[in-house]
Amino acid sequence: MNLLKNTQYLALSMIGIGLIVPASSFADTLGPYASLMGGANWVAEQDLTQNDLDFVEMEFNQPTESGYATGLALGWRFPVGLRPEIELGYRKNTLTQFNNRVYEGGGSIDGKGEEKATTLMANLWYDVLNLPAPFDRFTPYVGGGLGYATLTVSGLEAGGVEFGGTHRDTVSAYQLGAGVGYEFTEHWSMSVDYRCLKTREAHFGDIERLPQGDVSTEYESQSVMLGLRYWL
């Protein structure tokens, strides 16, 4: 069962829970919470740079086949709508081909490999509270965060040629995000969440079977996730 079907089933289950909970009028929940998110992750095409030269572009599979993002967060909502949060995230995508190969005279070739991003972010969201009925259970939000990302590239292979093992670096990162939550009990809410994550340049050093020289890249991804939040 692929990621798209799993996401659809999760969405239908969450909507069903919201529909069977008896209607009640309770205020927007304040205080501490824990949340869990998961969904699809799109990675922008990336140039691998070496000796000030963008020598190859990595292209990734569609996220419904191989790319996903997950997150676990702890936060606190204040009455003014501000919601500081600490978030641990994980993203993974697989490669499908390499383009614009400078060392080979151009062109494209089928490729293999994985790229992972593990993040620790300090976020600040602004919730739009107390919407009028019939939207009073919904809470739109917007904001962003700063933190660090550990980028890992492993299993690189093109045309049957392997390029070393695992390469990683930890760099600073930031993200922008928005979404909307739906409060279906006093302690539980669900959400649809969007994230755009971008890192500073990561350096992997020398890579086997490439000319000597530090290999570097920048990471950018967009994620659409479903979330569950529990108010403590």
Side-chain angles (χ1 to χ4, degrees):
M1 185 177 296
N2 61 32
L3 177 64
L4 181 59
K5 289 184 179 179
N6 285 332
T7 303
Q8 290 174 338
Y9 291 152
L10 178 59
L12 291 173
S13 298
M14 294 168 66
I15 292 171
I17 292 173
L19 292 176
I20 64 176
V21 172
S24 63
S25 58
F26 44 83
D28 292 288
T29 308
L30 303 176
Y33 66 86
S35 66
L36 179 66
M37 299 173 292
N41 190 58
W42 289 260
V43 177
E45 294 177 348
Q46 291 175 246
D47 287 323
L48 290 180
T49 301
Q50 186 184 55
N51 301 322
D52 298 321
L53 174 68
D54 294 338
F55 67 90
V56 71
E57 178 189 76
M58 298 190 297
E59 184 177 324
F60 296 87
N61 281 319
Q62 293 297 315
T64 52
E65 299 174 6
S66 65
Y68 64 87
T70 61
L72 176 65
L74 299 174
W76 192 290
R77 180 193 276 167
F78 291 93
V80 293
L82 291 178
R83 184 161 52 85
E85 178 184 84
I86 298 295
E87 176 191 270
L88 178 64
Y90 179 79
R91 295 164 171 84
K92 178 181 176 181
N93 291 80
T94 58
L95 284 157
T96 181
Q97 66 181 25
F98 296 93
N99 303 318
N100 306 326
R101 301 176 302 147
V102 171
Y103 295 147
E104 288 77 18
S108 300
I109 190 172
D110 290 342
K112 295 181 179 179
E114 295 179 345
E115 184 172 42
K116 306 170 187 176
T118 303
T119 58
L120 181 62
M121 308 294 291
N123 302 321
L124 181 61
W125 310 114
Y126 176 70
D127 290 337
V128 181
L129 302 176
N130 302 315
L131 293 179
F135 305 107
D136 50 337
R137 286 177 178 257
F138 292 91
T139 306
Y141 74 90
V142 66
L146 299 173
Y148 291 92
T150 297
L151 295 182
T152 302
V153 177
S154 60
L156 295 181
E157 181 180 329
V161 178
E162 298 180 0
F163 295 90
T166 299
H167 316 279
R168 64 170 53 91
D169 191 19
T170 298
V171 294
S172 59
Y174 71 89
Q175 68 176 354
L176 300 175
V180 59
Y182 176 75
E183 194 168 343
F184 56 86
T185 75
E186 185 177 357
H187 291 285
W188 289 97
S189 62
M190 61 185 179
S191 61
V192 178
D193 308 284
Y194 167 79
R195 300 285 186 270
C196 178
L197 174 71
K198 188 173 178 60
T199 74
R200 293 182 65 88
E201 192 172 58
H203 297 268
F204 301 129
D206 292 335
I207 291 184
E208 185 180 349
R209 294 186 176 85
L210 288 177
Q212 286 192 343
D214 179 39
V215 174
S216 60
T217 189
E218 293 182 355
Y219 178 90
E220 181 177 352
S221 72
Q222 299 186 65
S223 308
V224 176
M225 297 177 284
L226 296 174
L228 273 177
R229 188 176 300 151
Y230 178 73
W231 299 91
L232 305 175

